[in-house]
Amino acid sequence: MKVRDKKIIEKINLLRKEIEEHNRKYYVENNPVISDFEYDMLMQDLISLERDYPDLAVRNSPTNRVGSDLATSGKSQFEQAEHRYPMLSLGNTYDKAEILSFNERIAKLLNERVEYVCELKIDGSAISLTYSGGELVRAVTRGDGSRGDDITRNVLEIPSIPPKLTGRDYPDFFEIRGEIFMPWDSFNKLNQLRLSSEEELFANPRNAAAGSLKLLDPSEVSNRGLKSILYHLIADGLPAKTHYELLSAASHWGLPVSEHTRLCKSPDEVFAFLDYWDEKRKELPYPTDGVVIKVNDLDQQRRLGFTAKTPRWATAYKFKAEKALTRIVSLDYQVGRTGAVTPVANLIPVLLSGTTVKRASLHNYDQIRLLDLHINDYVYVEKGGEIIPKIVGIDPSRRSQDPVKISFPEFCPDCGSRLVKKEEEARHYCPNTKGCPTQIKAALLHFTGRKAMDILAGEATIEQLFQKGFVRKPSDLYKLTKENLLDLEGWKERSARRFLQSLEKSKSTSFSKVLFALGIRYIGETTAKNLAMHFTNIDNLISASAEELLDVEEVGEILVNSVKEYFADPDNILLIRELESFGILMAEEKRFSSDSNGTLPLAELTFVVSGVFSVSREQIKSKIESYGGKVTSAVSSKTDFLITGDSPGENKVKQAGKFNVKIISEQELEAMISVSPD
């Protein structure tokens, strides 16, 4: 074999391996490490090489297959379903000249007049919906194009997708495909919550949407603010002859289609659409990354057919992501509540999407290594809805002759402890949980938070208590006296009294919130509720085996290891016993009675709460859950009752009418709970 041929083979194999790895991170882990543009360039390199060396092309090359969102190892949490018709991907380009070439190929193959439909390319997660007799019977992810995960229960929680169609002229059985996406405001709120909980941020709304669709609790899906736009209908005996007419019909059946779709009679009209939306898309409330261009006539589509991976009658023009070029001045390393150390780059200020960017998150050392970052490098920064803008690439042509290589610190920047990195995790951690000031204060702030113990102690109060040496662990809070508090700068009798009252009130906090407040790594609010309901008290949880923990919804091996590690530490057990001694609830309270058959009065019923009541909405929700009911944030076909007080949300009332959900008052809820408490 020639040396040249050997190098070509090595390059092709390396590209295939690299693309497969990026497919896994993008589709399965929902955690891409390169931009779409960089990925597309890798794919184009491979396509070019396979075209130039056809003898080296193979059937299972990523150029011939759709990227798959199916789990590559272990058992999927969802049943898989075969697609009746394959779900293919689209060819794409960033070059308008390629659009002209696409039009020329179409014209040559058909030798007749062609119209195109231009649609905004929504940056979401592909979905296939099946309707039978006007009712949604199945929702399946793209998967590998041939089969996907059946996520029907979760999709039914998305308000924009109708469980039942309106009108009468729809096919008895059809599929319609589209995107489920997360609007910018929902994405920003979700990432803000994850940032405050020190969870890994979603890289973009597409990954957030894909991750949300794979949640095991459908009620959690309803909290994510997902929406849908549908764009491709498939059925035997379609009620129209063009794609544009089909979209109009789908809209009349109550299906969500884009209002921005345009029928174009020439390439010039297509280009006008591209130019308009390249700028106007920045004003949209949801993410778009390009325009899909389709042949309008369905008979022409049929004659053009498909390749192994894409339809010949459609292509995508992708917008280049908005980014700015600036220089890294230095790096800071921030220590979080769980000890995770996050690198943040300090940049020469640059204007991006209307705001000045001075800092950008790098998440972990793997990202620094993959980007080959150095201090003083010129870097490309994208905003894209991130809480903290991110660095997506470098300009190697601007690198100085004496670049400063970035080495991740060996020691904690706060307490000096040697950092550790577990093989299965991307982040470095400071293991000194009991002696690192930043971790101690962050853990105390988490414990006192509104969603945890709800104690009147903000960041300034925690700092004061820590500096005075009054508090080092959560149980120390309950040892505080009025004299201690009055010793703090700026504190008066009233503020001390209110703080102590909030401490006393926190003793009645539910076990699930106490469990969340302990700050065990990977235990969020939902997981804490699941664990509390499953094990009912702290001792059962402490003694639970790994197998018993894995039986709990949304608990995997990483969380199991975290729980076992936490309870293996004698200091943590001592903390729990101290909290118990102060009256903190370490068990699910029995606050209700069941009927003679052992059934709770609100069992298997789902409620939505809206408006102003005689008590807080949190108390209303807590009462419902206490009597066996379930509370969700959005009205859907799964909702049994909407409880309204004064000034309920108009949209919730409207949705209740749409889904025939019964609306009741606070008094009617009380009447339903007619069982006397113990």
Side-chain angles (χ1 to χ4, degrees):
M1 182 183 294
K2 296 178 182 178
V3 173
R4 176 176 168 273
D5 292 341
K6 187 176 181 181
K7 286 184 177 180
I8 294 296
I9 291 171
E10 287 176 352
K11 187 172 182 180
I12 287 175
N13 288 337
L14 184 64
L15 275 170
R16 286 172 182 160
K17 185 177 180 181
E18 191 173 358
I19 289 169
E20 293 287 12
E21 176 64 13
H22 287 307
N23 279 339
R24 183 179 65 80
K25 287 186 175 296
Y26 184 90
Y27 290 105
V28 179
E29 296 182 9
N30 295 309
N31 187 28
V33 294
I34 62 173
S35 68
D36 286 359
F37 180 78
E38 290 169 304
Y39 174 86
D40 290 336
M41 293 304 100
L42 289 174
M43 185 66 81
Q44 285 302 320
D45 286 347
L46 181 57
I47 289 171
S48 297
L49 284 169
E50 290 182 347
R51 184 173 57 238
D52 294 342
Y53 301 91
D55 56 313
L56 299 179
V58 294
R59 181 178 294 179
N60 68 345
S61 170
T63 59
N64 295 323
R65 289 183 288 113
V66 173
S68 175
D69 60 32
L70 300 177
T72 53
S73 62
K75 185 179 178 182
S76 172
Q77 300 286 353
F78 296 90
E79 291 185 9
Q80 291 180 357
E82 298 288 330
H83 289 300
R84 191 175 184 184
Y85 308 95
M87 282 189 80
L88 304 179
S89 60
L90 283 176
N92 63 69
T93 181
Y94 295 84
D95 186 354
K96 288 182 181 176
E98 286 291 323
I99 302 300
L100 283 174
S101 298
F102 168 75
N103 176 65
E104 289 169 2
R105 287 195 300 272
I106 297 295
K108 185 177 180 181
L109 287 167
L110 293 174
N111 195 29
E112 59 192 40
R113 183 171 174 271
V114 180
E115 292 182 342
Y116 295 103
V117 175
C118 287
E119 305 165 1
L120 291 179
K121 188 175 182 295
I122 310 301
D123 197 11
S125 187
I127 193 71
S128 177
L129 308 176
T130 300
Y131 282 86
S132 179
E135 294 194 7
L136 179 63
V137 294
R138 198 177 73 164
V140 183
T141 66
R142 183 197 298 276
D144 61 6
S146 298
R147 60 194 172 97
D149 286 330
D150 187 328
I151 56 170
T152 308
R153 284 197 316 151
N154 286 355
V155 167
L156 283 168
E157 295 292 334
I158 300 172
S160 61
I161 296 178
K164 189 171 180 62
L165 301 179
T166 57
R168 297 180 180 176
D169 58 341
Y170 44 77
D172 184 60
F173 184 90
F174 69 91
E175 284 186 37
I176 188 162
R177 292 169 176 177
E179 298 286 321
I180 291 173
F181 61 91
M182 184 173 287
W184 287 118
D185 59 349
S186 299
F187 173 70
N188 288 334
K189 286 176 186 175
L190 177 60
N191 257 359
Q192 190 67 63
L193 286 172
R194 295 176 76 85
L195 187 67
S196 62
S197 299
E198 290 192 18
E199 297 178 77
E200 193 80 30
L201 298 183
F202 282 113
N204 52 52
R206 192 218 76 87
N207 300 117
S212 299
L213 287 174
K214 296 296 183 75
L215 292 170
L216 298 183
D217 183 356
S219 67
E220 287 295 305
V221 179
S222 70
N223 294 331
R224 292 290 177 93
L226 297 174
K227 292 188 177 181
S228 178
I229 287 179
L230 306 175
Y231 49 66
H232 183 52
L233 193 147
I234 313 171
D236 295 329
L238 290 167
K241 293 184 178 181
T242 68
H243 176 65
Y244 194 74
E245 290 171 329
L246 281 180
L247 292 180
S248 178
S251 177
H252 285 102
W253 304 334
L255 292 162
V257 299
S258 175
E259 61 184 315
H260 303 302
T261 299
R262 181 178 171 185
L263 180 62
C264 297
K265 298 183 182 296
S266 68
D268 286 343
E269 290 187 12
V270 170
F271 289 140
F273 187 89
L274 300 182
D275 291 341
Y276 177 82
W277 282 108
D278 197 4
E279 283 299 318
K280 199 69 175 175
R281 67 191 172 100
K282 297 166 189 175
E283 300 175 18
L284 290 170
Y286 50 81
T288 58
D289 60 355
V291 171
V292 177
I293 304 157
K294 300 176 181 175
V295 171
N296 185 36
D297 187 277
L298 299 181
D299 181 61
Q300 290 178 343
Q301 287 186 10
R302 181 186 58 78
R303 283 185 280 150
L304 289 166
F306 302 84
T307 69
K309 186 178 177 182
T310 63
R312 291 192 179 93
W313 43 265
T315 192
Y317 174 80
K318 297 186 78 171
F319 300 127
K320 291 181 180 177
E322 189 176 6
K323 53 189 175 185
L325 185 68
T326 186
R327 184 165 60 85
I328 294 181
V329 177
S330 63
L331 249 63
D332 290 336
Y333 295 91
Q334 299 176 343
V335 184
R337 171 178 60 84
T338 61
V341 178
T342 302
V344 179
N346 296 305
L347 310 168
I348 291 179
V350 63
L351 189 66
L352 179 63
S353 300
T355 59
T356 300
V357 173
K358 299 178 181 178
R359 288 160 66 80
S361 172
L362 287 164
H363 300 306
N364 53 58
Y365 184 62
D366 286 350
Q367 188 179 8
I368 294 173
R369 183 176 50 80
L370 284 168
L371 292 171
D372 188 30
L373 284 180
H374 292 67
I375 299 296
N376 295 322
D377 270 352
Y378 279 84
V379 295
Y380 292 103
V381 182
E382 283 185 11
K383 204 170 182 185
E386 285 281 353
I387 303 302
I388 301 175
K390 63 178 180 178
I391 292 172
V392 295
I394 66 169
D395 184 348
S397 67
R398 290 174 175 255
R399 178 168 287 170
S400 66
Q401 293 183 349
D402 189 24
V404 180
K405 188 174 179 62
I406 296 173
S407 298
F408 208 88
E410 292 184 45
F411 302 96
C412 174
D414 190 19
C415 69
S417 299
R418 182 177 288 278
L419 300 180
V420 298
K421 181 182 179 297
K422 294 181 179 178
E423 189 175 335
E424 70 276 11
E425 295 184 3
R427 289 187 166 189
H428 288 72
Y429 287 88
C430 169
N432 186 20
T433 55
K434 298 160 195 171
C436 182
T438 300
Q439 289 188 67
I440 292 171
K441 288 182 282 189
L444 289 167
L445 194 62
H446 174 77
F447 184 86
T448 59
R450 184 176 58 83
K451 294 186 176 183
M453 303 302 288
D454 197 16
I455 297 167
L456 291 177
E459 196 170 340
T461 297
I462 295 298
E463 183 67 39
Q464 284 182 303
L465 292 170
F466 182 84
Q467 292 301 332
K468 282 285 187 180
F470 292 155
V471 176
R472 286 292 182 271
K473 57 185 186 295
S475 56
D476 291 339
L477 291 164
Y478 296 92
K479 302 173 186 176
L480 291 170
T481 65
K482 186 172 71 172
E483 288 69 32
N484 292 147
L485 298 173
L486 292 175
D487 193 29
L488 302 178
E489 185 178 347
W491 282 65
K492 306 295 182 187
E493 286 273 352
R494 183 173 180 274
S495 52
R497 183 174 67 254
R498 289 181 67 234
F499 179 85
L500 292 171
Q501 286 172 345
S502 74
L503 272 178
E504 192 61 32
K505 185 181 176 182
S506 73
K507 294 178 182 179
S508 60
T509 299
S510 67
F511 174 43
S512 65
K513 288 192 172 185
V514 174
L515 192 54
F516 173 63
L518 290 176
I520 303 171
R521 190 179 296 172
Y522 307 121
I523 292 186
E525 289 179 83
T526 301
T527 308
K529 280 185 180 180
N530 293 341
L531 289 168
M533 288 176 64
H534 189 90
F535 292 105
T536 72
N537 65 59
I538 195 69
D539 290 316
N540 289 340
L541 181 57
I542 290 171
S543 61
S545 65
E547 291 74 18
E548 289 171 327
L549 286 165
L550 286 169
D551 283 340
V552 181
E553 191 173 2
E554 294 191 25
V555 171
E557 289 186 8
I558 291 177
L559 194 142
V560 168
N561 293 336
S562 176
V563 170
K564 300 298 286 184
E565 185 178 315
Y566 182 87
F567 290 128
D569 188 331
D571 287 340
N572 291 332
I573 300 298
L574 178 61
L575 169 64
I576 288 166
R577 300 310 175 203
E578 284 185 344
L579 290 171
E580 277 184 312
S581 72
F582 288 113
I584 307 301
L585 294 175
M586 290 292 174
E588 285 287 277
E589 280 192 298
K590 187 178 179 183
R591 296 177 287 181
F592 46 77
S593 294
S594 56
D595 62 20
S596 58
N597 296 319
T599 304
L600 303 176
L602 303 183
E604 299 185 6
L605 295 177
T606 300
F607 297 81
V608 172
V609 181
S610 181
V612 180
F613 301 89
S614 63
V615 295
S616 72
R617 271 188 287 181
E618 288 302 316
Q619 287 174 283
I620 296 278
K621 292 175 183 179
S622 179
K623 180 174 286 189
I624 291 168
E625 291 173 345
S626 296
Y627 285 88
K630 177 181 173 183
V631 181
T632 61
S633 62
V635 177
S636 72
S637 60
K638 300 290 186 180
T639 307
D640 294 296
F641 296 96
L642 170 63
I643 305 170
T644 59
D646 294 334
S647 304
E650 289 183 14
N651 188 52
K652 285 187 170 63
V653 173
K654 183 179 177 181
Q655 291 294 104
K658 178 181 176 181
F659 294 114
N660 295 317
V661 172
K662 187 173 181 180
I663 299 176
I664 63 173
S665 65
E666 182 181 353
Q667 292 72 30
E668 287 172 301
L669 173 67
E670 292 294 337
M672 292 174 69
I673 307 170
S674 56
V675 183
S676 301
D678 285 351

